[in-house]
Structure formats: C-alpha cells, structure tokens
Amino acid sequence: MDVGQRSEAIILADLVKRGYRVLLPYGTNHRYDIVIDVGDRFLRAQCKTGRLRRGVIEFATQSTRANTRGVFHAPYDADQIDLFLVYCPDTDRVYAVGVEEVGLTGGFLRVDPAANGQAKRVRWAADHELPA
C-alpha cells in the first residue's frame, strides 16, 4: 500500500470516528477522493499526506500523472474540490484546508512559531485540525 492510500484510509477512519457521513466515488480518476455529507450540502475533498519540515506541515496541491508522453501536474481548483484533508504522520492529526487557502503547487500549515516571530498571515495547523 502506498503512502497516499494509507493517508486516505486514516482520514476516512477519522471522519467516520467523528460521526461524519462519508461518500466514496465509484471508479477512478476523480479529482476528489471522498465526499462529506454535512447535512445541507456535500463537500468534495482531496486527501493528501503532509510532511513536517522545520515546524511547517507541507502538502502538495496538485496531482501528478505519468505516461509514455511524460509527467503531468494538474493543480486543483474550486470547481473540482472544496477542501484538502491532510494527514500528517509526524503529528498524527488530520487537517481541513479550503482549496482557496493554498497555492497552485503546495499548501503550508505552521505548527511551531516562526523563528523571526512573524505571526500575521500565518496559517496555523491548530486552526485547521479536523473538528469533532
């Protein structure tokens, strides 16, 4: 099982444990991995694995596919998904980050205070932990 599948399974289990209703798309090559039924609407989510580096959780915000013609990167946008669900093995937590809060290639959640003391416009991991 690859890293992405493990993260997706952990995210799914965490959502179910917290009482969320989760739908799984049938087939392959959907831009979203799961759909969360929040009562009045559905949220399309892409599951990602985060890596803790220098006090920041980093995760990719694009898909990468390869075939005989080369490697292709496709960023996600608000027409395709509503949020990223990020599992970070280093913190053993799941984070929910809106697609509008990230860049085209990567997203960042700060765990530790910045060395230079910067606090404005910091996207704190604690503020994005999956709510109960």
Side-chain angles (χ1 to χ4, degrees):
M1 183 183 297
D2 75 5
V3 173
Q5 287 177 316
R6 263 181 288 211
S7 291
E8 191 173 331
I10 291 167
I11 290 167
L12 177 61
D14 199 44
L15 287 167
V16 171
K17 181 176 72 176
R18 293 169 185 267
Y20 288 97
R21 290 179 299 241
V22 181
L23 310 171
L24 299 175
Y26 179 75
T28 58
N29 296 323
H30 297 287
R31 294 297 282 163
Y32 50 89
D33 293 318
I34 61 175
V35 176
I36 305 167
D37 180 348
V38 294
D40 60 341
R41 62 191 173 121
F42 295 111
L43 297 174
R44 300 161 297 169
Q46 175 59 226
C47 298
K48 292 293 181 183
T49 303
R51 298 284 181 233
L52 184 61
R53 294 188 176 103
R54 300 173 307 282
V56 176
I57 298 169
E58 302 174 359
F59 59 98
T61 59
Q62 62 183 358
S63 64
T64 302
R65 299 201 191 282
N67 63 26
T68 57
R69 289 180 271 165
V71 177
F72 304 93
H73 302 284
Y76 297 94
D77 63 44
D79 292 331
Q80 300 164 335
I81 66 169
D82 300 297
L83 63 124
F84 290 95
L85 293 174
V86 181
Y87 172 67
C88 180
D90 302 303
T91 63
D92 195 30
R93 289 191 166 61
V94 176
Y95 305 91
V97 183
V99 69
E100 72 285 347
E101 295 183 69
V102 300
L104 291 176
T105 60
F108 306 93
L109 297 171
R110 182 157 282 289
V111 175
D112 299 326
N116 65 3
Q118 179 182 345
K120 287 186 178 182
R121 293 191 294 243
V122 171
R123 188 167 293 109
W124 293 103
D127 294 338
H128 288 82
E129 284 187 34
L130 194 62

